[in-house]
Amino acid sequence: LFTLFGLEDKYHAMLEASTTYPKNFWLVPVFAIVLAVLPAFLEEILMRGIGLSGTKKFGTWFALVFSGFFFSFMHNTWLQLPFAFVLGIVLAYFTLRFNTIWIAVISHFVFNFNSVIQSLILQNGGQYAEVYVVIWGLLFTSLMLGLAIAGAIVYGIRKPPIPKSAFTGWQRIKILLSSPFLYIFIAL
């Protein structure tokens, strides 16, 4: 995929600059916690817990786009920007839809954990590492698709309403620009 868009060199440079994983198998769980669990929990508290709750009074669409926008720029990598933007909107939607951040935290953890596994495979997989990553990616995607379908069936039965905004578009912008939350969030 990166080759099709002419990004293969940037992808390999990003991999070389990324975290070096331990050779000792017993340290891998520590890295998984540091690189998958903590970021998922802390980023979702910041983005969906604080950010989304601070912007949902401006309307659902505004809150979703705001969440996706800042989530994508928080990851600070141009290669991840479009994916993180869409994922930020999807996680924000599920947070509003089911009135809990735990779906977002768990989903974020799963994506981060997938990245840890792929990096471990690339670092330790030898000459067939890229083939192993593709196989792992297919298995991971199939598992996530199955879980998403199961979740949609289970949670689709109860559909809590998404709250509507009482503010007009210009009122939302004025309130947002006068909100201390925006400036605190940008400073972070």
Side-chain angles (χ1 to χ4, degrees):
L1 185 63
F2 288 106
T3 306
L4 290 173
F5 293 104
L7 298 172
E8 186 172 9
D9 293 337
K10 291 182 181 185
Y11 173 71
H12 288 293
M14 185 178 71
L15 287 177
E16 289 173 10
S18 66
T19 305
T20 301
Y21 291 90
K23 299 290 183 192
N24 182 344
F25 176 77
W26 300 107
L27 290 177
V28 171
V30 173
F31 272 84
I33 290 171
V34 170
L35 297 175
V37 175
L38 291 177
F41 183 72
L42 296 175
E43 288 177 19
E44 291 307 321
I45 292 291
L46 178 67
M47 297 304 305
R48 260 47 82 187
I50 297 170
L52 189 63
S53 66
T55 57
K56 70 180 177 183
K57 62 185 170 190
F58 304 117
T60 303
W61 284 106
F62 182 84
L64 292 174
V65 172
F66 182 85
S67 180
F69 179 77
F70 279 105
F71 185 70
S72 65
F73 280 100
M74 186 175 67
H75 283 85
N76 201 23
T77 304
W78 287 106
L79 290 174
Q80 291 181 354
L81 194 110
F83 175 74
F85 178 73
V86 171
L87 184 62
I89 289 174
V90 169
L91 294 177
Y93 173 78
F94 283 125
T95 299
L96 288 176
R97 183 75 176 165
F98 298 108
N99 200 26
T100 180
I101 65 166
W102 289 109
I103 294 172
V105 169
I106 291 168
S107 300
H108 196 151
F109 161 75
V110 168
F111 280 104
N112 287 354
F113 186 71
N114 178 48
S115 296
V116 169
I117 296 296
Q118 286 184 350
S119 297
L120 283 170
I121 292 171
L122 285 172
Q123 183 175 343
N124 300 312
Q127 69 183 25
Y128 298 110
E130 291 181 3
V131 173
Y132 298 149
V133 166
V134 170
I135 292 169
W136 168 256
L138 291 172
L139 291 172
F140 175 78
T141 303
S142 300
L143 176 65
M144 291 301 101
L145 188 58
L147 288 174
I149 291 169
I153 291 169
V154 170
Y155 288 112
I157 296 169
R158 54 184 185 136
K159 296 180 183 177
I162 296 177
K164 302 289 182 194
S165 174
F167 300 109
T168 65
W170 285 111
Q171 287 174 327
R172 293 177 197 162
I173 292 171
K174 287 178 186 177
I175 293 170
L176 176 68
L177 292 177
S178 65
S179 170
F181 163 76
L182 174 67
Y183 301 105
I184 292 170
F185 185 78
I186 290 172
L188 292 175

